[in-house]
Amino acid sequence: MTATRTVELEGHIIDSGMMQRAFGLVMDLDGDFEVEEFTVGKHKDETSYCRMAVVADSTDDLREILHELHQIGANLTDPVDARVEPAPADQVVPHGFYSTTNHPTTVRYDGEWIDVHDIEMDCAIVIEETDDGVRAYTKVLNAIEAGDLVVTDDAGVRVDPPERPRDSSGPFGFMQGGVSSERPSESLIRQVADAMVETKANGGKILVVAGPALIHAGAADDLARLVREGYVDMISAGNGFATHDIERGLYGTSLGMDMETMEHPRKGHKHHIYTISEVIRAGGIEAAVEDGLVQNGIMYECVQNDVPYVLAGSIRDDGPLPDTITDAVEAQNAIRKQAHEADMVLMLSTLLHSVAVGNCLPSTTKVVCVDINPATVTQLLDRGSSQAIGMVTDIGTFVPTLADEVLEGESSVTDGGVDDAAGADGTAGADGANDA
């Protein structure tokens, strides 16, 4: 006996490929479908609509198909209230719990649609009744408490993936499309700079996710400039990034290499561990700045300008610096707090931290990722950060050019900004070779 449910897709479903993916999913999962209504938007500002009946051989097969359709934004035409079950124990969710995407999500509870707060991928949705009403929000599994009302199954849940409209006026403007090392880099850097200026002008926050390669490539002074001038609100990095930045100020080297001559001085390989030792002796990075030990660099500017930073630890860390968070769950929570506050994220030559931060970002956050290695592009996208765009280029060239464009072209946004820019394509990239 077959099972049937009706779903609808609405928006720029043709341009974004949503309709094609929906048809493909049904067929790939051995289902069938019949389009009951199809309306095509004939102008750039018009959306399209498709209602189709989905048929499967059994209820279980249909449930699997509907789950996959739900992930790309197809929703049931006859929604019911979300099913909720209490968590049986701390860190234990009910069987069949709803695992979130990173797209804007609402749940239906007591006949009302409620926005899910703090949306990110791979979490549970918890419903909480308070004196002010009903609240829905995400929780990672290790934060679940016994008794939490957890949403199960896809019923009563709506997902709204960001779409690519027919022009550059969408939520990401120029930030649409694939990756290419052949694209005009200077033009795209200018558009990224405009997006940063516009974000700050609108009161938004910019998070920079950076790896040690940025220091090795000679871009530290320029990132420090952006911090000093107020274009970086938060930094997410690791022990290696901070260590090599401070090492450069103390010894003129990065991982033992002289930043001026590009040679390895005698005993230079010990400079990074000497740096860690001196910062530990001082009592941490902030104390080292206050004592005059650290007098320049990115971490110096962070302390001087009250820019918060999260240094998440790795199994490969030397030392580590006292500021490094060595508890993985604690580090994730600190990264998550930054990610939820960010309106734009720059990921600069670090696969490890880019993926970690990307996992915590909603799909509505602007993400630009830069790396010399195009192979790492797919790793960020495969984790679900489909809104990310990127440049395959040398970080040592990108950051100085970006800083010049931001600091010398602040007024460009008032003349049209990034939303008026031509559509330059890209996805994300990251350098995973120097994360430690």
Side-chain angles (χ1 to χ4, degrees):
M1 182 176 180
T2 60
T4 305
R5 292 295 296 273
T6 303
V7 300
E8 57 186 359
L9 301 91
E10 188 170 10
H12 295 282
I13 59 177
I14 300 174
D15 301 319
S16 65
M18 183 191 299
M19 189 172 69
Q20 180 182 354
R21 290 198 302 274
F23 292 168
L25 280 172
V26 175
M27 291 184 286
D28 290 345
L29 294 173
D30 298 323
D32 196 4
F33 64 88
E34 180 179 349
V35 176
E36 299 178 340
E37 181 180 344
F38 182 37
T39 305
V40 179
K42 298 181 179 179
H43 300 282
K44 289 184 177 181
D45 58 349
E46 291 181 352
T47 58
S48 300
Y49 175 83
C50 176
R51 185 179 73 241
M52 65 179 187
V54 181
V55 183
D57 291 336
S58 68
T59 301
D60 288 341
D61 291 339
L62 179 63
R63 184 180 296 113
E64 182 181 359
I65 294 173
L66 292 177
H67 172 76
E68 295 299 327
L69 289 173
H70 180 80
Q71 302 298 296
I72 65 170
N75 295 296
L76 295 172
T77 56
D78 54 344
V80 296
D81 279 357
R83 301 187 184 97
V84 296
E85 293 183 28
D90 289 351
Q91 302 185 4
V92 179
V93 290
H95 289 293
F97 78 99
Y98 178 81
S99 178
T100 57
T101 69
N102 60 347
H103 303 312
T105 302
T106 55
V107 295
R108 197 169 188 266
Y109 189 75
D110 282 346
E112 299 288 338
W113 287 103
I114 306 167
D115 290 335
V116 178
H117 295 283
D118 298 332
I119 193 68
E120 63 178 274
M121 67 179 75
D122 302 329
C123 292
I125 296 177
V126 172
I127 302 292
E128 181 180 357
E129 297 187 13
T130 69
D131 293 338
D132 298 323
V134 179
R135 177 171 175 252
Y137 57 97
T138 60
K139 267 191 175 185
V140 292
L141 298 192
N142 62 49
I144 292 291
E145 299 176 276
D148 280 346
L149 291 180
V150 178
V151 174
T152 62
D153 204 2
D154 298 320
V157 181
R158 284 186 179 271
V159 174
D160 184 22
E163 300 169 345
R164 183 178 70 181
R166 296 172 184 170
D167 55 25
S168 61
S169 63
F172 304 116
F174 71 96
M175 298 183 181
Q176 304 167 4
V179 62
S180 171
S181 57
E182 302 298 326
R183 84 164 76 108
S185 297
E186 290 186 8
S187 174
L188 185 56
I189 292 174
R190 189 176 304 115
Q191 292 170 325
V192 173
D194 287 346
M196 291 177 65
V197 173
E198 185 179 40
T199 297
K200 293 302 298 177
N202 292 333
K205 290 186 176 182
I206 297 174
L207 167 64
V208 168
V209 184
L214 186 146
I215 311 297
H216 305 329
D221 285 342
D222 297 285
L223 182 56
R225 273 203 295 158
L226 289 172
V227 174
R228 183 166 59 249
E229 298 299 327
Y231 284 94
V232 176
D233 297 285
M234 301 169 283
I235 284 183
S236 179
N239 179 71
F241 172 82
T243 298
H244 301 320
D245 174 61
I246 297 172
E247 175 193 341
R248 178 175 170 271
L250 295 181
Y251 301 102
T253 60
S254 175
L255 201 60
M257 183 182 71
D258 190 295
M259 296 301 296
E260 296 295 330
T261 66
M262 299 300 165
E263 296 177 351
H264 290 271
R266 186 170 177 270
K267 295 186 178 180
H269 63 285
K270 298 183 178 181
H271 288 172
H272 78 286
I273 202 69
Y274 288 169
T275 297
I276 293 171
S277 175
E278 291 305 307
V279 175
I280 292 174
R281 193 188 319 277
I285 294 174
E286 183 174 353
V289 171
E290 292 173 350
D291 292 349
L293 173 67
V294 177
Q295 299 182 9
N296 54 57
I298 299 165
M299 304 313 298
Y300 170 84
E301 295 295 347
C302 285
V303 172
Q304 292 291 78
N305 295 280
D306 295 322
V307 172
Y309 49 86
V310 170
L311 303 180
S314 165
I315 195 66
R316 298 177 290 178
D317 286 342
D318 292 317
L321 293 168
D323 304 76
T324 302
I325 303 174
T326 56
D327 183 293
V329 173
E330 184 183 347
Q332 286 178 359
N333 289 336
I335 288 172
R336 182 168 289 110
K337 184 176 184 298
Q338 286 187 323
H340 289 172
E341 294 177 0
D343 297 286
M344 182 175 181
V345 181
L346 298 181
M347 298 177 172
L348 307 175
S349 288
T350 169
L351 173 61
L352 180 67
H353 294 277
S354 293
V355 171
V357 173
N359 288 350
C360 301
L361 292 172
S363 61
T364 51
T365 302
K366 295 178 180 179
V367 178
V368 179
C369 196
V370 182
D371 198 277
I372 197 65
N373 184 3
T376 57
V377 169
T378 55
Q379 296 195 45
L380 187 64
L381 295 178
D382 286 347
R383 283 297 304 148
S385 301
S386 57
Q387 82 274 26
I389 67 107
M391 294 181 63
V392 179
T393 190
D394 174 34
I395 197 69
T397 301
F398 175 84
V399 176
T401 306
L402 178 68
D404 288 342
E405 291 288 349
V406 168
L407 300 177
E408 294 174 8
E410 296 173 273
S411 62
S412 63
V413 169
T414 61
D415 298 324
V418 72
D419 285 340
D420 293 330
D425 293 336
T427 40
D431 180 3
N434 294 298
D435 283 319

